Amino acid sequence: MRRTPFLRAGAVLLGSALLAAGCGGDSGKEATATTSAAPATTAGSSTTAASTATTAAAAQPTSMDEWEALWAKQRDAVVKRIKDNKWGKSADGKTVTGPSGFTIDLTKCPAGWSDTEGLSDTSIKIGQAIAQSGTFADYGNIAKTMTVLFDYYSKKGTFKDSLGKTRSINYIAKDDGYDAARTIPIVDELLDSDKVFAVWTLGSPNSLKTYDKLNQRCVVHPEALTAHPAWADPVNHPWTTGPMAASYATEAILWGSFIEQHINEMPPGKFKVASLVINNDFGNVYDQGFKGFLANSPVLKDRVEYISEKIEASTPTVTDPMTTLAAQNPAVFIAMVAGTPCTQAVTEAAQNGMHEKVKYLFEPGTCAPASFVAKEKVGGDGSAANGWWVVNPAAKDLKDPSQANDPFVKWARELLQSAGIDPNSSGSLGTGFNYGWPMVQFLQIAGQLDGGLTRTNMMIAQRAIDMTHPYLLPGVRLHMDGNKDAYFAEGAIFQKFDSAKQSYVNQGQVIDLDGKSSLCAWNQTTARCG
């Protein structure tokens, strides 16, 4: 079953009406209207999406006790739905079924495969390949949060399953330096030596190099720490689940829609849009998605001259490519990067004149935490980052002073501090909660299904999840629906950095994209879906 995906890189045009409701301009006034996007179509296909809207969300719990009570109620509802529908492993052990046609053929698993490998009566062994060195080392802070979070819930006895076994998470994080060549042997080691229950990966090239093997080995590959569209493939890669964000291709479309919305502010005639692109599977999705939007946009296709400079992920500085781009006098600049280049793009733009001359400068969602552009990183009074925009995937920020009284943010900060970790030191610490909290829920739900905690129950728990995520802004669900919806969370909000406040300020309301992205059978040869 292969479907042409909505919001596919280079294939879809979202109407600018989406931005009319979802994004304010320089005035900073929030749009309050609810509107629908123009129907989105892919090249050579019919309309695949319903309306996309921005709406005000219901209030969230005001204390951690209220949060925990809500989660318990929602977990019970997910468990009930799974049991009522009799989803799970068949009596003969050959098939797993789930919502909306989701299936796994267990006869394809290797000889000797175990549904409970990585589990003992007292522990759950989870492996992680993650950058802890190099230009992407900041993302290693995700692992720090995971360790603290899992230890907290393990000590509370949270992971007691239906068979009466109470386990603790044994989280094993290994440094791959964001080098896919290092990720491969690490994953092999986690599988063959550590014999883990599940394997986590970070990075598009790293995950693409290993997700075939993990699916062939029938090993849980949860919440890939990357927003590449390839993870939305429950048919061909049922053991891999996607990110806490809409895909990079979707973000590229939102950039294009923003420029359409602000077309009257651009220079007359032809104007330039420049980008700095990491030259790998990650950056190229951004780049191709944006090119595709321009080619299909009746507003921009004859107005925009798109120029880009590519860098390798290991490039120590971005001075030369940023200088080259500055010399082109672009009207808009978009950083399609991650890690250290997030900050470097900002500092270089301040030095080469782009910060003063370019009308709109964008950081990518991978750089959304304010710590990447805070004054501690960019230097001086922090004014180098003032006015930079970002399409935040609707995540909260531990460092944002305006969110200091949010009960979950407050609790998360205190939890890190109790472990001797400064919550302001990296925005990736917050990303650890964004991805770690759902894992806590999946394990609890899976454990309450028939047979207790197993790999197959873990997959059903993920594919049937429907909960309120405390680290996502109100209006975005933690929701997946088998073969119908393969994205955990699909939301976005435009923000602009205020250096005086040292935080991003919302420019409009959350854009709800839940259920709008179709499946993507990624072809690594053509670098396209389908």
Side-chain angles (χ1 to χ4, degrees), residues 303-325:
R303 292 284 307 277
V304 171
E305 178 184 348
Y306 178 57
I307 56 177
S308 64
E309 287 287 320
K310 292 196 173 184
I311 60 171
E312 300 306 314
S314 58
T315 300
T317 67
V318 300
T319 302
D320 288 347
M322 286 294 289
T323 300
T324 299
L325 292 172

Side-chain angles (χ1 to χ4, degrees), residues 148-188:
V148 174
L149 183 67
F150 295 156
D151 285 350
Y152 171 82
Y153 279 107
S154 294
K155 290 175 181 176
K156 287 186 65 176
T158 296
F159 307 110
K160 183 176 181 178
D161 73 5
S162 60
L163 302 181
K165 295 180 180 180
T166 301
R167 300 181 173 95
S168 297
I169 296 179
N170 178 9
Y171 175 64
I172 306 167
K174 301 188 179 187
D175 179 22
D176 64 9
Y178 191 73
D179 181 351
R182 292 170 60 184
T183 308
I184 295 170
I186 286 175
V187 168
D188 289 342

Side-chain angles (χ1 to χ4, degrees), residues 6-7 11-21 34-42 46-54 253-254 257 260-261 293 296-299 511-513 516:
F6 172 56
L7 302 180
V12 180
L13 174 61
L14 258 178
S16 60
L18 184 152
L19 271 298
T34 298
T35 189
S36 297
T41 57
T42 61
S46 60
T47 298
T48 59
S51 63
T52 300
T54 60
I253 290 166
L254 292 173
S257 297
E260 282 187 333
Q261 184 71 14
F293 184 92
N296 285 279
S297 169
V299 177
I511 303 168
D512 178 16
L513 298 169
K516 299 299 190 293

